[in-house]
Structure formats: C-alpha cells, structure tokens
Amino acid sequence: MGANKEIVRRLVDGVWADRNPAIIDELVAEDYVGHDPTQPGPIEGRDGFRQFIATYQSAFEDATITIDDLIAEGDNVVTRWTGRGTQSGELMGIAPTGKEATVSGITISRLANGKIAEEWLLFDALGMLIQLGAVPQPATA
C-alpha cells in the first residue's frame, strides 16, 4: 500500500510542482480512464490525461496542488487535495479573470501493475466558478 501512495504522490508532485509531463508516461497506464463530472465524457489514455492537465495549467499558470491526505486500501489510493491558482487563461469558455481560486477535491486512484489505471475526481467546481466571478454568489438565508 505504501508503494501505491508513493506513485500517486510522485504523479501529483511531478505534474503540478515540477511541471514534468514526462512523468505521466512512467506512472499512468496507457489505457487510463478518468471520471470527472465536469468533463463531457471519460478522460481516456495518457494523451487524454495530458490534455486534461494542460487545460488547467494553461488556465492557471501558477496552479499548485497540495496533498492534504493520502489513504490507501488495496489497489486504491484516496487523495484529499487543495488546488490554488490565478486564472490567467481561458477555462471552459471563461475568459481570463485574473482572480484567484482555491478549491478542495478528492481523487480516488485505482492502480494496476504499478501504474494509475483509473481515477474518479470530485472537486468544488461551483466554488471555483463563484470565486472566478463566472457564477454569482448564492444569496444567504
């Protein structure tokens, strides 16, 4: 279980802190499948994973992901994380706002043969859109 946690940690640090896309080939399975409700369909393969990451890195050039918790059970690793960044590029049709956003999220990664094979991602997309000014702040009761 410790090895699986290390693989997930290396991927997060390599992609977000080090901006090293080559690590994807080392740690992500060729037939990777990602599930994110903000996407129109599954994220498929290493190229799909690269494109997904590039979307957020081009929208938030200073984006960072901090791992808050890593929990492993069998072939699964659960990562509770916090993402931060300033929107400097277009995101989902939203022009750059120059506003900062901080979001919390959870990713469940299933590993097979020492690589990340499948993931399920949930994050506070609505909170991010509110912080960027793309969606109005809900009225308080």
mmCIF file of all heavy atoms in Angstrom, residues 76-113:
data_model
loop_
_atom_site.group_PDB
_atom_site.id
_atom_site.type_symbol
_atom_site.label_atom_id
_atom_site.label_comp_id
_atom_site.label_asym_id
_atom_site.label_seq_id
_atom_site.Cartn_x
_atom_site.Cartn_y
_atom_site.Cartn_z
ATOM 1 N N ASN A 76 -6.468 0.841 -4.240
ATOM 2 C CA ASN A 76 -6.991 2.206 -4.323
ATOM 3 C C ASN A 76 -6.243 3.155 -3.400
ATOM 4 O O ASN A 76 -5.879 2.792 -2.279
ATOM 5 C CB ASN A 76 -8.481 2.233 -3.961
ATOM 6 C CG ASN A 76 -9.320 1.496 -4.980
ATOM 7 O OD1 ASN A 76 -9.106 1.616 -6.167
ATOM 8 N ND2 ASN A 76 -10.285 0.729 -4.493
ATOM 9 N N VAL A 77 -6.059 4.373 -3.896
ATOM 10 C CA VAL A 77 -5.489 5.455 -3.085
ATOM 11 C C VAL A 77 -6.449 6.633 -3.171
ATOM 12 O O VAL A 77 -6.851 7.044 -4.271
ATOM 13 C CB VAL A 77 -4.086 5.883 -3.591
ATOM 14 C CG1 VAL A 77 -3.560 7.073 -2.787
ATOM 15 C CG2 VAL A 77 -3.112 4.718 -3.522
ATOM 16 N N VAL A 78 -6.832 7.159 -2.020
ATOM 17 C CA VAL A 78 -7.692 8.333 -1.953
ATOM 18 C C VAL A 78 -6.813 9.529 -1.600
ATOM 19 O O VAL A 78 -6.085 9.493 -0.611
ATOM 20 C CB VAL A 78 -8.808 8.163 -0.898
ATOM 21 C CG1 VAL A 78 -9.664 9.422 -0.805
ATOM 22 C CG2 VAL A 78 -9.656 6.946 -1.209
ATOM 23 N N THR A 79 -6.895 10.551 -2.422
ATOM 24 C CA THR A 79 -6.134 11.782 -2.196
ATOM 25 C C THR A 79 -7.109 12.909 -1.926
ATOM 26 O O THR A 79 -7.976 13.196 -2.762
ATOM 27 C CB THR A 79 -5.276 12.138 -3.436
ATOM 28 O OG1 THR A 79 -4.506 11.005 -3.814
ATOM 29 C CG2 THR A 79 -4.374 13.326 -3.143
ATOM 30 N N ARG A 80 -6.985 13.522 -0.761
ATOM 31 C CA ARG A 80 -7.735 14.756 -0.474
ATOM 32 C C ARG A 80 -6.750 15.873 -0.725
ATOM 33 O O ARG A 80 -5.639 15.875 -0.187
ATOM 34 C CB ARG A 80 -8.244 14.773 0.969
ATOM 35 C CG ARG A 80 -9.132 15.986 1.276
ATOM 36 C CD ARG A 80 -9.707 15.904 2.680
ATOM 37 N NE ARG A 80 -8.696 15.910 3.719
ATOM 38 C CZ ARG A 80 -8.130 17.011 4.228
ATOM 39 N NH1 ARG A 80 -8.470 18.209 3.801
ATOM 40 N NH2 ARG A 80 -7.214 16.913 5.174
ATOM 41 N N TRP A 81 -7.132 16.824 -1.579
ATOM 42 C CA TRP A 81 -6.177 17.836 -2.017
ATOM 43 C C TRP A 81 -6.800 19.225 -2.045
ATOM 44 O O TRP A 81 -8.019 19.373 -2.007
ATOM 45 C CB TRP A 81 -5.624 17.487 -3.404
ATOM 46 C CG TRP A 81 -6.671 17.195 -4.450
ATOM 47 C CD1 TRP A 81 -7.180 15.970 -4.761
ATOM 48 C CD2 TRP A 81 -7.339 18.133 -5.300
ATOM 49 N NE1 TRP A 81 -8.120 16.092 -5.758
ATOM 50 C CE2 TRP A 81 -8.235 17.403 -6.117
ATOM 51 C CE3 TRP A 81 -7.265 19.509 -5.458
ATOM 52 C CZ2 TRP A 81 -9.042 18.013 -7.064
ATOM 53 C CZ3 TRP A 81 -8.070 20.125 -6.409
ATOM 54 C CH2 TRP A 81 -8.942 19.363 -7.201
ATOM 55 N N THR A 82 -5.920 20.227 -2.099
ATOM 56 C CA THR A 82 -6.333 21.613 -2.253
ATOM 57 C C THR A 82 -5.595 22.185 -3.458
ATOM 58 O O THR A 82 -4.373 22.054 -3.558
ATOM 59 C CB THR A 82 -5.995 22.441 -0.994
ATOM 60 O OG1 THR A 82 -6.635 21.848 0.133
ATOM 61 C CG2 THR A 82 -6.449 23.886 -1.139
ATOM 62 N N GLY A 83 -6.354 22.782 -4.362
ATOM 63 C CA GLY A 83 -5.772 23.429 -5.535
ATOM 64 C C GLY A 83 -5.895 24.934 -5.414
ATOM 65 O O GLY A 83 -6.913 25.442 -4.935
ATOM 66 N N ARG A 84 -4.845 25.625 -5.844
ATOM 67 C CA ARG A 84 -4.841 27.091 -5.794
ATOM 68 C C ARG A 84 -4.255 27.627 -7.092
ATOM 69 O O ARG A 84 -3.336 27.035 -7.648
ATOM 70 C CB ARG A 84 -3.981 27.588 -4.641
ATOM 71 C CG ARG A 84 -4.499 27.264 -3.278
ATOM 72 C CD ARG A 84 -3.537 27.747 -2.172
ATOM 73 N NE ARG A 84 -4.082 27.451 -0.863
ATOM 74 C CZ ARG A 84 -3.998 26.274 -0.257
ATOM 75 N NH1 ARG A 84 -3.398 25.273 -0.836
ATOM 76 N NH2 ARG A 84 -4.524 26.090 0.930
ATOM 77 N N GLY A 85 -4.775 28.757 -7.539
ATOM 78 C CA GLY A 85 -4.202 29.388 -8.713
ATOM 79 C C GLY A 85 -4.956 30.643 -9.100
ATOM 80 O O GLY A 85 -6.057 30.898 -8.629
ATOM 81 N N THR A 86 -4.319 31.419 -9.965
ATOM 82 C CA THR A 86 -4.898 32.643 -10.502
ATOM 83 C C THR A 86 -5.267 32.378 -11.957
ATOM 84 O O THR A 86 -4.415 31.925 -12.733
ATOM 85 C CB THR A 86 -3.880 33.795 -10.432
ATOM 86 O OG1 THR A 86 -3.418 33.919 -9.086
ATOM 87 C CG2 THR A 86 -4.500 35.105 -10.887
ATOM 88 N N GLN A 87 -6.490 32.663 -12.343
ATOM 89 C CA GLN A 87 -6.913 32.377 -13.713
ATOM 90 C C GLN A 87 -6.277 33.363 -14.674
ATOM 91 O O GLN A 87 -6.677 34.512 -14.788
ATOM 92 C CB GLN A 87 -8.436 32.402 -13.857
ATOM 93 C CG GLN A 87 -8.851 31.881 -15.216
ATOM 94 C CD GLN A 87 -10.241 32.242 -15.627
ATOM 95 O OE1 GLN A 87 -10.922 33.016 -14.966
ATOM 96 N NE2 GLN A 87 -10.675 31.699 -16.747
ATOM 97 N N SER A 88 -5.292 32.875 -15.406
ATOM 98 C CA SER A 88 -4.555 33.698 -16.362
ATOM 99 C C SER A 88 -4.872 33.325 -17.811
ATOM 100 O O SER A 88 -4.423 33.988 -18.735
ATOM 101 C CB SER A 88 -3.054 33.547 -16.113
ATOM 102 O OG SER A 88 -2.690 32.176 -16.156
ATOM 103 N N GLY A 89 -5.645 32.263 -18.016
ATOM 104 C CA GLY A 89 -6.019 31.824 -19.359
ATOM 105 C C GLY A 89 -7.467 31.382 -19.386
ATOM 106 O O GLY A 89 -8.134 31.310 -18.353
ATOM 107 N N GLU A 90 -7.957 31.082 -20.578
ATOM 108 C CA GLU A 90 -9.345 30.664 -20.733
ATOM 109 C C GLU A 90 -9.582 29.299 -20.089
ATOM 110 O O GLU A 90 -8.737 28.414 -20.147
ATOM 111 C CB GLU A 90 -9.709 30.579 -22.214
ATOM 112 C CG GLU A 90 -11.160 30.220 -22.435
ATOM 113 C CD GLU A 90 -11.535 30.143 -23.903
ATOM 114 O OE1 GLU A 90 -11.051 30.981 -24.682
ATOM 115 O OE2 GLU A 90 -12.308 29.228 -24.248
ATOM 116 N N LEU A 91 -10.743 29.151 -19.464
ATOM 117 C CA LEU A 91 -11.142 27.889 -18.854
ATOM 118 C C LEU A 91 -12.610 27.646 -19.144
ATOM 119 O O LEU A 91 -13.452 28.448 -18.750
ATOM 120 C CB LEU A 91 -10.911 27.913 -17.339
ATOM 121 C CG LEU A 91 -11.373 26.664 -16.589
ATOM 122 C CD1 LEU A 91 -10.505 25.459 -16.952
ATOM 123 C CD2 LEU A 91 -11.350 26.891 -15.092
ATOM 124 N N MET A 92 -12.914 26.577 -19.850
ATOM 125 C CA MET A 92 -14.296 26.198 -20.150
ATOM 126 C C MET A 92 -15.091 27.367 -20.730
ATOM 127 O O MET A 92 -16.229 27.608 -20.353
ATOM 128 C CB MET A 92 -14.983 25.643 -18.900
ATOM 129 C CG MET A 92 -14.371 24.373 -18.366
ATOM 130 S SD MET A 92 -15.271 23.678 -16.967
ATOM 131 C CE MET A 92 -14.285 24.258 -15.597
ATOM 132 N N GLY A 93 -14.464 28.138 -21.614
ATOM 133 C CA GLY A 93 -15.130 29.271 -22.239
ATOM 134 C C GLY A 93 -15.134 30.537 -21.402
ATOM 135 O O GLY A 93 -15.678 31.560 -21.828
ATOM 136 N N ILE A 94 -14.523 30.502 -20.229
ATOM 137 C CA ILE A 94 -14.462 31.683 -19.357
ATOM 138 C C ILE A 94 -13.154 32.410 -19.649
ATOM 139 O O ILE A 94 -12.070 31.847 -19.498
ATOM 140 C CB ILE A 94 -14.525 31.287 -17.870
ATOM 141 C CG1 ILE A 94 -15.799 30.501 -17.585
ATOM 142 C CG2 ILE A 94 -14.416 32.522 -16.973
ATOM 143 C CD1 ILE A 94 -15.781 29.785 -16.247
ATOM 144 N N ALA A 95 -13.266 33.655 -20.090
ATOM 145 C CA ALA A 95 -12.075 34.463 -20.377
ATOM 146 C C ALA A 95 -11.268 34.653 -19.093
ATOM 147 O O ALA A 95 -11.819 34.599 -17.981
ATOM 148 C CB ALA A 95 -12.492 35.820 -20.946
ATOM 149 N N PRO A 96 -9.955 34.884 -19.212
ATOM 150 C CA PRO A 96 -9.123 35.091 -18.025
ATOM 151 C C PRO A 96 -9.681 36.214 -17.148
ATOM 152 O O PRO A 96 -10.045 37.272 -17.654
ATOM 153 C CB PRO A 96 -7.764 35.486 -18.600
ATOM 154 C CG PRO A 96 -7.766 34.985 -20.003
ATOM 155 C CD PRO A 96 -9.198 35.003 -20.451
ATOM 156 N N THR A 97 -9.758 35.947 -15.858
ATOM 157 C CA THR A 97 -10.312 36.928 -14.924
ATOM 158 C C THR A 97 -9.240 37.588 -14.063
ATOM 159 O O THR A 97 -9.482 38.628 -13.468
ATOM 160 C CB THR A 97 -11.326 36.258 -13.973
ATOM 161 O OG1 THR A 97 -10.631 35.277 -13.188
ATOM 162 C CG2 THR A 97 -12.472 35.615 -14.743
ATOM 163 N N GLY A 98 -8.083 36.949 -13.945
ATOM 164 C CA GLY A 98 -7.046 37.448 -13.047
ATOM 165 C C GLY A 98 -7.385 37.200 -11.585
ATOM 166 O O GLY A 98 -6.664 37.654 -10.697
ATOM 167 N N LYS A 99 -8.460 36.466 -11.325
ATOM 168 C CA LYS A 99 -8.879 36.199 -9.949
ATOM 169 C C LYS A 99 -8.282 34.888 -9.449
ATOM 170 O O LYS A 99 -8.089 33.947 -10.202
ATOM 171 C CB LYS A 99 -10.406 36.131 -9.853
ATOM 172 C CG LYS A 99 -11.063 37.460 -10.144
ATOM 173 C CD LYS A 99 -12.561 37.368 -9.990
ATOM 174 C CE LYS A 99 -13.185 38.740 -10.266
ATOM 175 N NZ LYS A 99 -14.639 38.696 -10.113
ATOM 176 N N GLU A 100 -8.025 34.863 -8.148
ATOM 177 C CA GLU A 100 -7.512 33.661 -7.506
ATOM 178 C C GLU A 100 -8.666 32.757 -7.097
ATOM 179 O O GLU A 100 -9.742 33.242 -6.749
ATOM 180 C CB GLU A 100 -6.699 34.033 -6.270
ATOM 181 C CG GLU A 100 -5.409 34.748 -6.584
ATOM 182 C CD GLU A 100 -4.585 35.073 -5.356
ATOM 183 O OE1 GLU A 100 -4.740 34.384 -4.327
ATOM 184 O OE2 GLU A 100 -3.797 36.023 -5.431
ATOM 185 N N ALA A 101 -8.396 31.471 -7.152
ATOM 186 C CA ALA A 101 -9.382 30.484 -6.696
ATOM 187 C C ALA A 101 -8.661 29.426 -5.873
ATOM 188 O O ALA A 101 -7.529 29.052 -6.178
ATOM 189 C CB ALA A 101 -10.098 29.841 -7.879
ATOM 190 N N THR A 102 -9.337 28.968 -4.841
ATOM 191 C CA THR A 102 -8.857 27.865 -4.008
ATOM 192 C C THR A 102 -9.982 26.849 -3.940
ATOM 193 O O THR A 102 -11.108 27.211 -3.597
ATOM 194 C CB THR A 102 -8.493 28.354 -2.589
ATOM 195 O OG1 THR A 102 -7.460 29.339 -2.691
ATOM 196 C CG2 THR A 102 -8.019 27.203 -1.713
ATOM 197 N N VAL A 103 -9.675 25.608 -4.303
ATOM 198 C CA VAL A 103 -10.693 24.565 -4.295
ATOM 199 C C VAL A 103 -10.194 23.334 -3.558
ATOM 200 O O VAL A 103 -8.997 23.060 -3.528
ATOM 201 C CB VAL A 103 -11.137 24.159 -5.722
ATOM 202 C CG1 VAL A 103 -11.760 25.328 -6.449
ATOM 203 C CG2 VAL A 103 -9.996 23.572 -6.513
ATOM 204 N N SER A 104 -11.131 22.605 -2.982
ATOM 205 C CA SER A 104 -10.845 21.325 -2.348
ATOM 206 C C SER A 104 -11.360 20.227 -3.250
ATOM 207 O O SER A 104 -12.369 20.398 -3.938
ATOM 208 C CB SER A 104 -11.550 21.223 -0.999
ATOM 209 O OG SER A 104 -11.069 22.216 -0.131
ATOM 210 N N GLY A 105 -10.661 19.091 -3.227
ATOM 211 C CA GLY A 105 -11.100 17.982 -4.050
ATOM 212 C C GLY A 105 -10.656 16.646 -3.488
ATOM 213 O O GLY A 105 -9.818 16.577 -2.576
ATOM 214 N N ILE A 106 -11.233 15.606 -4.035
ATOM 215 C CA ILE A 106 -10.878 14.240 -3.672
ATOM 216 C C ILE A 106 -10.739 13.450 -4.967
ATOM 217 O O ILE A 106 -11.593 13.534 -5.856
ATOM 218 C CB ILE A 106 -11.946 13.593 -2.770
ATOM 219 C CG1 ILE A 106 -11.978 14.299 -1.419
ATOM 220 C CG2 ILE A 106 -11.686 12.091 -2.605
ATOM 221 C CD1 ILE A 106 -13.052 13.805 -0.479
ATOM 222 N N THR A 107 -9.660 12.701 -5.067
ATOM 223 C CA THR A 107 -9.434 11.813 -6.202
ATOM 224 C C THR A 107 -9.231 10.401 -5.666
ATOM 225 O O THR A 107 -8.450 10.203 -4.739
ATOM 226 C CB THR A 107 -8.192 12.242 -7.009
ATOM 227 O OG1 THR A 107 -8.357 13.596 -7.445
ATOM 228 C CG2 THR A 107 -7.982 11.338 -8.214
ATOM 229 N N ILE A 108 -9.948 9.464 -6.231
ATOM 230 C CA ILE A 108 -9.737 8.051 -5.919
ATOM 231 C C ILE A 108 -9.005 7.454 -7.114
ATOM 232 O O ILE A 108 -9.504 7.504 -8.239
ATOM 233 C CB ILE A 108 -11.061 7.314 -5.674
ATOM 234 C CG1 ILE A 108 -11.825 7.955 -4.516
ATOM 235 C CG2 ILE A 108 -10.803 5.827 -5.399
ATOM 236 C CD1 ILE A 108 -13.237 7.430 -4.342
ATOM 237 N N SER A 109 -7.823 6.922 -6.874
ATOM 238 C CA SER A 109 -6.993 6.332 -7.923
ATOM 239 C C SER A 109 -6.943 4.827 -7.734
ATOM 240 O O SER A 109 -6.666 4.349 -6.636
ATOM 241 C CB SER A 109 -5.568 6.884 -7.848
ATOM 242 O OG SER A 109 -5.562 8.291 -7.879
ATOM 243 N N ARG A 110 -7.212 4.101 -8.819
ATOM 244 C CA ARG A 110 -7.057 2.647 -8.810
ATOM 245 C C ARG A 110 -5.779 2.316 -9.565
ATOM 246 O O ARG A 110 -5.592 2.753 -10.697
ATOM 247 C CB ARG A 110 -8.245 1.948 -9.476
ATOM 248 C CG ARG A 110 -8.127 0.414 -9.451
ATOM 249 C CD ARG A 110 -9.284 -0.266 -10.145
ATOM 250 N NE ARG A 110 -9.419 0.090 -11.551
ATOM 251 C CZ ARG A 110 -8.685 -0.432 -12.549
ATOM 252 N NH1 ARG A 110 -7.736 -1.321 -12.293
ATOM 253 N NH2 ARG A 110 -8.904 -0.058 -13.801
ATOM 254 N N LEU A 111 -4.902 1.576 -8.913
ATOM 255 C CA LEU A 111 -3.631 1.223 -9.522
ATOM 256 C C LEU A 111 -3.634 -0.227 -9.975
ATOM 257 O O LEU A 111 -4.279 -1.075 -9.354
ATOM 258 C CB LEU A 111 -2.480 1.472 -8.545
ATOM 259 C CG LEU A 111 -2.176 2.964 -8.364
ATOM 260 C CD1 LEU A 111 -3.002 3.585 -7.281
ATOM 261 C CD2 LEU A 111 -0.708 3.172 -8.139
ATOM 262 N N ALA A 112 -2.931 -0.480 -11.067
ATOM 263 C CA ALA A 112 -2.756 -1.835 -11.584
ATOM 264 C C ALA A 112 -1.356 -1.918 -12.180
ATOM 265 O O ALA A 112 -0.949 -1.019 -12.924
ATOM 266 C CB ALA A 112 -3.810 -2.149 -12.640
ATOM 267 N N ASN A 113 -0.621 -2.942 -11.806
ATOM 268 C CA ASN A 113 0.732 -3.154 -12.326
ATOM 269 C C ASN A 113 1.644 -1.944 -12.120
ATOM 270 O O ASN A 113 2.424 -1.578 -12.990
ATOM 271 C CB ASN A 113 0.683 -3.530 -13.817
ATOM 272 C CG ASN A 113 -0.135 -4.772 -14.053
ATOM 273 O OD1 ASN A 113 -0.005 -5.761 -13.334
ATOM 274 N ND2 ASN A 113 -1.010 -4.730 -15.043
#
